[in-house]
Amino acid sequence: MPDDHPTVRAAFQGLSPAEVGTILTGTTTARLAAGEPLFLQGDPADRFFLLKEGWLKVTQVTADGQKLIVRIVHPGEFFGFAPALQRDLYPGTCEAIVDSEALVWPRRRWQAVLGAAPSVTLSIVQAIGRKLDEAHDRLRELSTEEAARRVARLVLRLRAKAGEDALETDEGIELPYPLTRQDIADMSGNTLHTVSRIMAAWESQGVLGRGRRKVVIADARALQDIAGDED
């Protein structure tokens, strides 16, 4: 395999060497330091990606100037789907949360990658579907749910998505990447003041642990009770 990174091997597991060779033709690797952008909102959508290691956040600035974090990208995920949506510009900014590495395809390879193997097409379609589902959930919660429930549901979703990358600590289950309270506010559609008040209360009640720039779930059952019907 031209790229023997374990995440890349897992992404294309079961494909023949010829199929993998076709898929990886023309790829490069982008290495990002924490806080470094991979692309900016409004940049030409001339590439698409697979995250090899690290974590990224995708943000959008709305017409009224509000900044929203719309997605956390985990290792093994395809992202940068502008070609699939027939967009010429990226609708958001993608930035490294920690030092990260991504596999990069030029846009002209989009059709060739989709046609190389049905399993790759399925993975990309499923990733787009998850992104749309998350957007629908977010819109519903913003219009119907109170602030604490939105934050609780967000933290539980992040925990579920982190899977085995989440860390067992003395304080509880720690998300594997740093998130500030401003990040939580940007993801949940709340103000920083509201999120700080909610999370401080949860820390004093033992629902969350006191991690430095990390979200630590100390009492998952209590958080689920706050979230209501979230699985």
Side-chain angles (χ1 to χ4, degrees), residues 110-127:
W110 177 253
Q111 293 298 332
V113 170
L114 288 184
S119 62
V120 175
T121 304
L122 179 61
S123 292
I124 292 174
V125 169
Q126 288 175 335

Side-chain angles (χ1 to χ4, degrees), residues 26-226:
T27 57
T28 56
T29 294
R31 295 178 177 86
L32 305 170
E36 183 179 355
L38 180 59
F39 54 80
L40 302 177
Q41 184 171 338
D43 278 353
D46 54 3
R47 299 173 295 168
F48 60 100
F49 312 88
L50 172 72
L51 185 60
K52 295 166 68 173
E53 58 186 65
W55 285 273
L56 312 174
K57 63 182 177 182
V58 180
T59 62
Q60 287 184 337
V61 177
T62 64
D64 61 0
Q66 183 180 6
K67 180 181 177 182
L68 300 173
I69 297 178
V70 297
R71 184 183 179 196
I72 301 293
V73 183
H74 288 243
E77 291 188 342
F78 290 95
F79 64 102
F81 297 120
L85 304 176
Q86 298 184 332
R87 291 178 179 266
D88 293 324
L89 304 176
Y90 291 118
T93 293
C94 183
E95 174 186 316
I97 299 175
V98 298
D99 292 351
S100 302
E101 189 172 313
L103 193 64
V104 184
W105 286 265
R107 183 182 180 122
R108 66 178 182 275
R109 293 287 300 159
W110 177 253
Q111 293 298 332
V113 170
L114 288 184
S119 62
V120 175
T121 304
L122 179 61
S123 292
I124 292 174
V125 169
Q126 288 175 335
I128 294 172
R130 286 193 297 271
K131 181 179 177 182
L132 292 174
D133 283 344
E134 289 171 4
H136 291 159
D137 287 343
R138 184 191 188 100
L139 288 173
R140 174 181 55 78
E141 290 172 3
L142 287 174
S143 62
T144 64
E145 303 292 357
E146 54 91 19
R149 178 168 289 186
R150 293 205 304 270
V151 175
R153 290 184 170 186
L154 169 66
V155 172
L156 288 171
R157 281 198 297 269
L158 295 176
R159 164 64 185 96
K161 195 170 182 182
E164 294 180 357
D165 289 325
L167 307 174
E168 294 271 3
T169 72
D170 292 339
E171 290 277 342
I173 304 297
E174 181 180 281
L175 297 185
Y177 44 83
L179 286 176
T180 66
R181 290 184 177 181
Q182 183 65 65
D183 291 332
I184 297 294
D186 291 342
M187 281 188 280
S188 64
N190 291 300
T191 65
L192 174 59
H193 173 76
T194 297
V195 167
S196 295
R197 174 177 53 80
I198 289 169
M199 295 184 74
W202 289 351
E203 287 175 358
S204 67
Q205 295 161 9
V207 178
L208 297 181
R210 299 179 184 274
R212 287 190 61 189
R213 294 198 67 213
K214 292 287 186 75
V215 175
V216 181
I217 301 171
D219 188 341
R221 181 70 263 173
L223 198 61
Q224 289 165 356
D225 288 343
I226 296 167

